[in-house]
Amino acid sequence: MFFSIIIPVYNRPDEIEVLVQSLRKQTYKDFEVILVEDGSSLSCKHVFEKHRLHLQLFYLEQKNSGQGFARNLGIRKSKGDYFVFFDSDCQVPAGYLESLKNAIQSRKLDAHGGPDDAAEAFSPWQKAMNFSMTSLWTTGGIRGNVKDPSRYQARGFNMGFSKEVYQQIGGFIHPNMAEDIEISMRIKKAGFKLELVKEAFVYHRRKNDFFSFIRQGFQFGRNRVFIRRYHPEAVKWVHLLPLLFLLGVLFLPLAVIFSPIIAGIFLMVYVVWTVLVFIAGATQYRSLLVGSLAILTSYGQLFGYGAGVLMEFAKPGK
């Protein structure tokens, strides 16, 4: 068996139903799927029962330990030569595994990360969230818009690595804070070839409201700084841009008092950025509504990320 698909799940049975349905439609068939229930109170076992005769589908349970350790359990119980990890809120295009298999073989990859996108049927709000998570105008430029695919740091919602990688470096070492970035860096340091495979994309069915989306951005900012515990070089100047964006907005009222000219320049920068976000979002999704919502999600995401970076840097002894 070539692929073992491992999916940690916590109280998301409806999302698992959509994801498993998409996996049943894969054009490449040599794979198994392992669902790891991470101490959920809303079980997805009924989804397993519904689909187990149509897929090589397995269901595991553990006490709530976090997604990183849930993935480790799935790895230990798997039979495949290459592990693929999805989050429960993903939907996988039919050609995903076929494209990934071709990339692994033609590019001699030991590991990969893939991008995410919004399907045409997604709501305007979901498309706006996707824009702010993937655009060059936000942290999406940090996250995956790289010209050199070998510079990519894979994310747990869509990534994978070979059994050989696991046997040499082990699995995820933290339950839920930057465990995907950490293992990506460890894979590369061990000399393995990890690259972005753009064809291996997923549709990311985010269900956040505005405030939970900000909290998610906040956690991502914390994660980036947290990872210095294992890899001190993980934080680069580009990761501080959301913090500068946040501080610029916070200090704008003071600038108005002490230097109206400087305040005017800063305000113009934010106005231009806002207009460009609107144009980019509206153009990408051919919707003025999405463009308008993209302004809201982009400000929220940058504010949350910047605040997370600030809080984690401010922790004593870190």
Side-chain angles (χ1 to χ4, degrees):
M1 181 175 297
F2 193 78
F3 288 119
S4 287
I5 298 174
I6 299 166
I7 306 165
V9 54
Y10 181 72
N11 289 338
R12 300 291 183 90
D14 293 342
E15 292 180 354
I16 289 297
E17 170 68 27
V18 174
L19 175 52
V20 171
Q21 284 184 12
S22 71
L23 292 172
R24 285 182 57 177
K25 298 175 183 177
Q26 291 299 299
T27 55
Y28 182 84
K29 302 297 184 181
D30 188 17
F31 68 94
E32 64 178 355
V33 181
I34 302 173
L35 305 176
V36 186
E37 194 89 72
D38 185 31
S40 300
S41 57
L42 295 175
S43 171
C44 70
K45 192 170 185 178
H46 65 283
V47 180
F48 160 72
E49 296 291 349
K50 177 181 176 181
H51 295 281
R52 66 187 179 88
L53 298 180
H54 305 280
L55 283 173
Q56 295 193 62
L57 185 62
F58 303 93
Y59 178 80
L60 305 174
E61 294 179 281
Q62 67 173 22
K63 293 182 179 180
N64 182 246
S65 305
Q67 59 192 8
F69 294 164
R71 295 186 191 111
N72 288 344
L73 175 60
I75 291 172
R76 293 195 296 271
K77 300 295 184 179
S78 66
K79 303 182 185 71
D81 296 320
Y82 192 98
F83 313 121
V84 178
F85 306 98
F86 297 128
D87 280 355
S88 61
D89 59 354
C90 291
Q91 183 177 346
V92 185
Y96 178 99
L97 291 178
E98 188 169 356
S99 296
L100 178 58
K101 177 76 179 299
N102 291 337
I104 291 170
Q105 293 182 332
S106 64
R107 293 159 59 178
K108 295 181 170 41
L109 299 180
D110 302 298
H112 84 284
D116 54 342
D117 201 356
E120 185 62 34
F122 282 12
S123 71
W125 177 249
Q126 287 176 312
K127 291 176 180 177
M129 287 191 291
N130 183 78
F131 173 85
S132 64
M133 293 298 293
T134 60
S135 173
L136 284 167
W137 296 106
T138 62
T139 66
I142 301 171
R143 206 173 154 203
N145 290 296
V146 291
K147 294 182 179 179
D148 180 1
S150 67
R151 294 181 56 199
Y152 187 68
Q153 291 180 345
R155 300 300 196 272
F157 70 87
N158 180 15
M159 69 177 294
F161 49 79
S162 68
K163 181 183 291 186
E164 182 183 356
V165 169
Y166 174 72
Q167 290 172 339
Q168 181 166 327
I169 72 168
F172 297 88
I173 65 174
H174 196 278
N176 53 25
M177 282 196 70
E179 75 286 346
D180 46 0
I181 301 175
E182 189 286 322
I183 202 168
S184 291
M185 299 185 74
R186 192 158 25 108
I187 288 170
K188 292 181 180 182
K189 287 181 177 180
F192 291 107
K193 189 176 183 181
L194 185 160
E195 291 186 356
L196 173 67
V197 179
K198 290 186 177 181
E199 317 90 83
F201 68 92
V202 299
Y203 297 120
H204 212 158
R205 302 173 61 88
R206 296 180 177 89
K207 293 187 176 180
N208 308 73
D209 59 27
F210 180 62
F211 293 105
S212 68
F213 188 64
I214 292 176
R215 288 195 298 271
Q216 184 183 64
F218 176 80
Q219 188 61 41
F220 288 164
R222 287 191 60 206
N223 287 351
R224 173 53 64 176
V225 179
F226 174 83
I227 203 64
R228 295 183 307 153
R229 301 181 183 200
Y230 305 103
H231 305 278
E233 74 283 9
V235 177
K236 304 183 184 304
W237 69 267
V238 69
H239 298 115
L240 303 179
L241 291 178
L243 175 58
L244 296 177
F245 185 93
L246 172 62
L247 293 177
V249 172
L250 293 177
F251 286 110
L252 189 58
L254 288 177
V256 170
I257 296 172
F258 293 104
S259 180
I261 295 177
I262 293 178
I265 294 172
F266 267 75
L267 183 60
M268 182 58 64
V269 169
Y270 283 103
V271 168
V272 170
W273 178 85
T274 301
V275 171
L276 291 173
V277 165
F278 171 78
I279 293 172
T283 302
Q284 180 173 337
Y285 294 104
R286 301 181 301 280
S287 168
L288 297 179
L289 176 58
V290 173
S292 301
L293 292 173
I295 296 172
L296 188 63
T297 57
S298 296
Y299 270 98
Q301 198 243 1
L302 288 173
F303 283 176
Y305 194 104
V309 169
L310 181 61
M311 173 170 279
E312 200 65 24
F313 266 128
K315 284 188 174 181
K318 305 303 182 188

